[in-house]
Amino acid sequence: MPATLRWLGRRLILAAFVVFGAATAAFAAMNLMPGDPVLTILGSTNPTPALIAQVRSDLGYDEPFAVRYAEFLGRLVHGDLGQSYQLREPVTEVITGQLLPTAELALTAFVLALAVAAVLAVTTAGRRPAVRRVVSALELLTTSSPGFWIGILLLTFLSFRIHLFPAAGGDGVNGLVLPAITLALGMTGVFSQVLRAGLERALEEPYALTARARGTGETAVRTRHALRHALIPVLTLSGWALGTLLSGAVVVETVFGRRGIGRVMATAVIGRDVPTVTGVVIVSAVFFTLINILVDGLYRVIDPRLRQEKA
Amino acid sequence: MTLVETAAKATAAPSRAAFRPPPAATLVAGLALALIGVAFLWPGLIAPHSPDVADPVNALLPPGGGHLFGTDQLGRDTFSRVIYGTRPSLTIGIGATALAALAGSLLGVLALAGGRVLDEAIMRVTDVFLAFPGLLLALLVVAVLGPGTTNATLALAASATPGFVRLARAQALVVRRSDYVRAAVILGRPRAAIVLRHILPNALPPLLVLALVNVGTAIIAGSSLSFLGLGPQAPTPEWGAMLSDGRDFLSTAWHLAVFPGLAVTVTVFAINIVGRSLQVRFEGRTPGAGL
Amino acid sequence: MHNHTAGSVIALCAVLLAGTAACSSSDGDSKTATGKPVSGGTLTYALTQEPDCLDPAVSPMQATAIVNRNIFDSLVSLDSDGKFHPALAEKWAVSPDGTTYTFTLKKGVVFHDGTPFDATAVKATLDHVVDPKTKSYYAASLISVYRGAKVVDASTVEVKIAAPTAPFLQALSTAYLGIQSPKALTRDAAQQCQSPVGTGPFQVSAWEKKSSIKLTRNPAYAWAPPTAGHTGPALLDGLTFQFIPENSARLGALTSGQVNGVDGVQPADVAQVKGSGSLQLLRADSPGTAYSLYLNAKKAPFSDEKVRIAFQRSLNLDVLIKSVYFGQYARAWSPLSPTTLGYDPSTVGTWAYDPTLSNKLLDEAGWATRDSEGYRTKDGKRLSLYWPYTPLFATDSRTILGQGIQADAKKVGIDLKYTSVDVGQLQKDVLTGASDLYSTSYVRAEPDILRFFFASDQTADKGGGNAFHFSAPDVDGWLKAATGSSDDAVRKTNYANVQKYVLEHALVVPTYVPSYLAGVSKKVHDVKFDPSAYPVFYDAWLEH
């Protein structure tokens, strides 16, 4: 498939450009920051002039801008994102060390959102307007609520009042339930809307009609035939979901005191630990770009018409 | 993906199954928005107390009696703080959306009208900024500029602008291909005049609807930033910041956790309902509104 | 000489609490309740903050001191009466001129990595602390008078200091100056931070970032200081510190039994902990300075003493502290907290709430007109004061207290700009004198902390705590006399003079006395506090 290969090559070059641009923007941000980063690094202590000078030369802040930019890019190519101001360890290590709990939380939330959305869509697609309307209004309500509030409410009433779930820590399934629900809630509404739209389209397609004519039960038609097709548009939301999950994790991990990239990010922004912030941002930009290429690629596989079009 | 595109996906994509609010709901939502507008402009008309007069002797009173929503950890009236909090809480979301819509529309139309090189430059930079998913660009901007109302607004505006740029360009493209613009080109009208007289006004309505939908998302994002301590400073009664302040007292004073969050939800819900209704109306007329 | 009392008088359970179990640090209570201490089990204790680096020479954090007290022994130990006892040093002598300390070291002590403890280790540790490459944020400032050590023989070391310094032994007794394995010190900084090596009752086994530090018992431990409750290895098999910065989540972890203990119990939650049948509250008032606001007298409007006094007297701290801290923290009258040696009790009541006086003084100072928002003005300029703070360090509901102070000041027409900034900005605002107020508290079991905040040579740009370049020859004289003397009475008189002076001239507004509030399960016994009011787990044991 030379057309697909050409397409992939083009996309990858574009992606490389985008990531390079993102990294440059991040570097610019780091250096635009008003104030002396060395003082920020030294934190609440009262640093002696000797200590300030030592830290400045260790971090290379006494070198000219261009040199630092070149060094920044050079390090980036080797996967080195610099040193965190607050945590005093390499940003790469911070991210790899915190990736797992966030991935666990995000994946659980994603699966939960998709599952609930599928159930909602299958049971309400094409049904009486009254039912649909109530469900739709609920979906809109969940997308109108800030995640941190939902989290606080769940904590207040399910953890503090009736001790149904642990209030802190990420150990075990029990500790995952409330954060995952909080993170999933807003996404569920969007997924179920998209799924229902797809389902309603699919239920009018010939194959659905044929299946019904063959005597397949309505539930089977919906879950076995129509749902599969309806899931395709959800695919396009993957990139958006990644962004939502990451931004959501910042708040949810803070509320529930969970460890993970989100909490690192929240603390880093408050403390203006710019290397950590840019590190997380660059890494997520890379992930995001790759996911978008993957989604477009899958679409080309699924829908052959796209292959003919010029990318 | 930016807030705008999210909003677009969430609202425009499933246009057939989308929630069409019944007229009664739209009316109620509209009335709620009017009331919120009053609280925004003249909070003193509704609030019985001053938002920042502390009365430590009467701290953490439960709702009821002289205090509809109870009092906070310094004995301030929570209801009055929620009312006075309307302006600071909505300013970030509305300001950010307005800035983003304005800057985005101008850049989008400029990209299309300004020739190949400019188009390429604007769109590639937009691509770069679109590569920061979700709130991350906003967080980066706040990390650089520091917390505060202005900086949080700028941060959210920066993260929403690229979406508006793309949308505006797409809209302008649709309009440019329309017959009346072609006619104007054939008639030899000056380029600037065409852009100003024809393209901009016709590309605008769908942008405005999307801006309205984006306001809700931006308000939530703004209160999230405040919740993280990145928004307006004490003693400003911003809703997200109030929730954050109240967190230490959840086991003793549940009301501190409930009301500010409820205020955000009610506001955004009302905006979304009105936004949907407007969108449903517009969709009939402008083919490009659904992206 | 070696038993002079340079330290603090720590009052455990300083505020009497209802019920006997609330005060577990007294041996009698827990033992009569449950019998003999038993060995075994792992205690999990949740801390508010995570250490940034476990090398005691590097990190200034309270969390580091709490964790490190279990990993490291010091040369000397300080008891709750302010007396020094042998620890890793068997005995010590001070030269007549007060500048040479000769320590005779215990024999048979071994580091966790098998290196024997000797004079080389002491020299290596102290040299490591003051080495600029170590980038010490705190420990080096504690021994800034250190001028080198000489290894006389394997068990004798001579330590030179620049001038007679009474607080030197107190500094050596802290965990920040715990003695480290000289072999481990040759590793790179990252390894040093991750797994430092000491001689203490516990050793580091794992540190999972953002989650926990796991310590295991040092089975060879046989050199506990006499200040401890038993000898031999620690009773616990393991000690795990978890990090839960969210106050409500941390308390939830305690009430749901996920952890055996937590620190940073919020005053609002004290009633809940005490009311629970399975939990107990432990508390110790922190020595050092109260949480105080330091006023910038170098710059208008606080250059006018009348304005400073007006501000000081406008705050209804009795009511505010009681309300914000639910009666759990004491209102402070002196910058020195009451459990610190040299605290002057005669400061109580000397600057009571008096808004009438505030208003009168402000009128006299020329701030007689008011603008539309009720703030005072002079020549069209509003009476605004800039008070930056960093939310990351604003523990203890300090932002709420700050808003309360802001509201009180507003009542007399002062516009207090209480502004959240990041640490770098805060440093800059203080270093450049842009801010009018600076607020902090400082834990140190030594009145020498007054020198850190008020001596003219301890300005912030030199690494001191004198943020606003305050300088008064009288104060410098008293501080010098107090530091150089080993006579407690002389020290007390001089430190009392300093406290009176800074309060009378309204250079500082003390607010409350911080306390270390811990909630632990009733199955946990014999958690004690060191003189800095940090918990010590060497004697602790778990009921099975």
Side-chain angles (χ1 to χ4, degrees), chain A residues 149 193 240 247 272 281 284 288, chain B residues 1 6 10 132 135-136 143-144 257:
Chain A
W149 184 51
Q193 284 172 30
W240 166 79
S247 326
R272 298 177 78 188
V281 167
S284 22
F288 185 70
Chain B
M1 186 156 318
T6 309
F132 298 111
L135 270 181
L136 293 187
V144 169

Side-chain angles (χ1 to χ4, degrees), chain A residues 34-197:
Chain A
D36 187 343
V38 174
L39 289 180
T40 305
I41 296 164
L42 289 170
S44 65
T45 46
N46 297 71
T48 56
L51 181 58
I52 294 177
Q54 181 74 33
V55 172
R56 196 181 305 282
S57 84
D58 281 3
L59 293 174
Y61 276 114
D62 44 4
E63 288 180 71
F65 188 84
V67 175
R68 269 160 43 213
Y69 180 55
E71 281 176 356
F72 169 80
L73 288 180
R75 284 199 311 263
L76 198 62
V77 172
H78 296 101
D80 180 355
L81 294 164
Q83 191 86 7
S84 159
Y85 289 171
Q86 277 179 339
L87 304 165
R88 292 174 206 169
E89 60 177 325
V91 173
T92 321
E93 270 175 40
V94 175
I95 294 176
T96 47
Q98 302 296 315
L99 201 58
L100 204 64
T102 304
E104 184 188 59
L105 172 66
L107 205 67
T108 313
F110 184 77
V111 170
L112 188 69
L114 206 58
V116 174
V119 170
L120 277 179
V122 167
T123 49
T124 60
R127 293 286 153 90
R128 271 175 301 142
V131 179
R132 257 188 50 181
R133 193 169 280 175
V134 169
V135 173
S136 300
L138 276 178
E139 287 161 2
L140 193 63
L141 187 64
T142 57
T143 50
S144 304
S145 286
F148 60 89
W149 184 51
I150 303 293
I152 285 179
L153 287 184
L154 290 175
L155 258 186
T156 309
F157 295 105
L158 295 186
S159 282
F160 293 141
R161 290 275 145 139
I162 56 174
H163 302 291
L164 200 59
F165 293 99
D171 297 338
V173 177
N174 245 2
L176 198 59
V177 176
L178 294 187
I181 291 178
T182 309
L183 194 52
L185 212 58
M187 223 159 35
T188 310
V190 176
F191 280 169
S192 71
Q193 284 172 30
V194 176
L195 270 177
R196 188 168 42 246

Side-chain angles (χ1 to χ4, degrees), chain A residues 33-36 39-52 54-55 58-59 86-89 93-94 97-98 155 159-160 163 165-171 253-260 263-264 267 269-272, chain C residues 50 52-53 58-60 132-138 193-194 208-211 242-246 248-253 255-256 258 272 391-393 421-425 427-428 430-431 438 442 452 460-466:
Chain A
M33 179 175 154
D36 187 343
L39 289 180
T40 305
I41 296 164
L42 289 170
S44 65
T45 46
N46 297 71
T48 56
L51 181 58
I52 294 177
Q54 181 74 33
V55 172
D58 281 3
L59 293 174
Q86 277 179 339
L87 304 165
R88 292 174 206 169
E89 60 177 325
E93 270 175 40
V94 175
Q98 302 296 315
L155 258 186
S159 282
F160 293 141
H163 302 291
F165 293 99
D171 297 338
E253 287 175 0
T254 302
V255 169
F256 289 96
R258 268 182 73 90
R259 63 195 224 97
R263 203 169 101 196
V264 165
T267 337
V269 174
I270 295 167
R272 298 177 78 188
Chain C
E50 175 170 16
D52 49 356
C53 166
V58 173
S59 170
K133 286 198 192 67
T134 303
K135 288 185 268 180
S136 169
Y137 289 75
Y138 182 59
C193 275
Q194 182 73 25
E208 200 184 344
K209 289 280 158 65
K210 294 280 153 190
S211 172
Q242 278 199 2
F243 313 113
I244 311 181
E246 273 294 307
S248 48
R250 197 171 54 255
L251 183 74
T255 53
S256 65
Q258 284 171 277
Q272 191 191 343
L392 278 185
F393 302 109
V421 297
D422 67 280
V423 279
Q425 186 65 38
Q427 288 283 359
K428 200 177 148 215
V430 170
L431 285 176
Y438 173 67
Y442 221 99
F452 180 75
D461 56 333
K462 293 184 187 129
N466 183 352

Side-chain angles (χ1 to χ4, degrees), chain C residues 38-390:
Chain C
V38 287
S39 184
T42 294
L43 191 151
T44 306
Y45 190 77
L47 296 174
T48 312
Q49 284 182 310
E50 175 170 16
D52 49 356
C53 166
L54 278 183
D55 183 343
V58 173
S59 170
M61 295 174 68
Q62 166 172 307
T64 314
I66 292 173
V67 175
N68 275 342
R69 188 70 285 173
N70 303 288
I71 306 169
F72 293 97
D73 288 314
S74 297
L75 278 178
V76 295
S77 67
L78 179 62
D79 70 14
S80 52
D81 295 323
K83 290 200 167 45
F84 289 101
H85 298 272
L88 287 180
E90 224 156 41
K91 57 184 189 192
W92 58 93
V94 186
S95 65
D97 68 352
T99 60
T100 307
Y101 284 68
T102 307
F103 293 95
T104 308
L105 307 177
K106 236 176 227 172
K107 294 190 181 72
V109 177
V110 183
F111 285 102
H112 301 148
D113 62 358
T115 313
F117 162 78
D118 57 14
T120 330
V122 176
K123 180 174 163 52
T125 299
L126 295 177
D127 287 346
H128 167 67
V129 167
V130 296
D131 184 348
K133 286 198 192 67
T134 303
K135 288 185 268 180
S136 169
Y137 289 75
Y138 182 59
S141 71
L142 282 175
I143 54 162
S144 55
V145 290
Y146 174 70
R147 289 295 175 272
K150 198 173 98 191
V151 176
V152 179
D153 59 50
S155 57
T156 314
V157 63
E158 265 180 32
V159 176
K160 285 246 181 267
I161 58 174
T165 310
F168 186 61
L169 276 185
Q170 189 275 336
L172 289 182
S173 78
T174 62
Y176 296 105
L177 287 149
I179 303 299
Q180 306 198 45
S181 158
K183 190 175 136 206
L185 284 175
T186 57
R187 300 174 303 169
D188 67 29
Q191 281 176 304
Q192 220 2 68
C193 275
Q194 182 73 25
S195 58
V197 179
T199 60
F202 292 93
Q203 57 199 52
V204 185
S205 76
W207 182 358
E208 200 184 344
K209 289 280 158 65
K210 294 280 153 190
S211 172
S212 66
I213 292 178
K214 289 189 168 68
L215 307 182
T216 49
R217 174 167 47 201
N218 172 8
Y221 195 70
W223 41 85
T227 45
H230 76 288
T231 52
L235 295 169
L236 297 167
D237 290 340
L239 178 58
T240 298
F241 290 99
Q242 278 199 2
F243 313 113
I244 311 181
E246 273 294 307
N247 292 329
S248 48
R250 197 171 54 255
L251 183 74
L254 177 69
T255 53
S256 65
Q258 284 171 277
V259 297
N260 304 108
V262 299
D263 78 354
V265 171
Q266 297 300 296
D269 299 325
V270 163
Q272 191 191 343
V273 171
K274 288 207 280 192
S276 154
S278 58
L279 304 175
Q280 54 183 328
L281 185 82
L282 309 180
R283 70 175 293 150
D285 283 355
S286 304
T289 59
Y291 178 62
S292 306
L293 320 180
Y294 297 86
L295 313 188
N296 185 356
K298 282 272 181 262
K299 171 173 163 262
F302 269 161
S303 49
D304 186 342
E305 189 166 312
K306 281 183 176 162
V307 180
R308 293 204 303 273
I309 295 176
F311 172 69
Q312 186 193 43
R313 296 301 193 97
S314 72
L315 309 181
N316 193 356
L317 289 171
D318 279 331
V319 170
L320 194 59
I321 301 297
K322 192 167 170 234
S323 163
V324 172
Y325 297 116
F326 295 80
Q328 293 300 316
Y329 292 169
R331 181 250 160 100
W333 288 100
S334 163
L336 215 51
S337 81
T339 53
T340 321
L341 173 101
Y343 163 73
D344 179 11
S346 76
T347 53
V348 172
T350 49
W351 49 282
Y353 173 55
D354 191 347
T356 323
L357 176 71
S358 293
N359 280 318
K360 184 174 151 266
L361 288 172
L362 289 172
D363 284 341
E364 284 173 18
W367 298 93
T369 47
R370 298 227 187 194
D371 65 14
S372 59
E373 286 177 65
Y375 293 115
R376 288 174 178 273
T377 54
K378 181 160 124 180
D379 307 327
K381 248 192 93 204
R382 181 186 277 190
L383 179 48
S384 284
L385 298 163
Y386 174 52
W387 176 13
Y389 73 97
T390 282

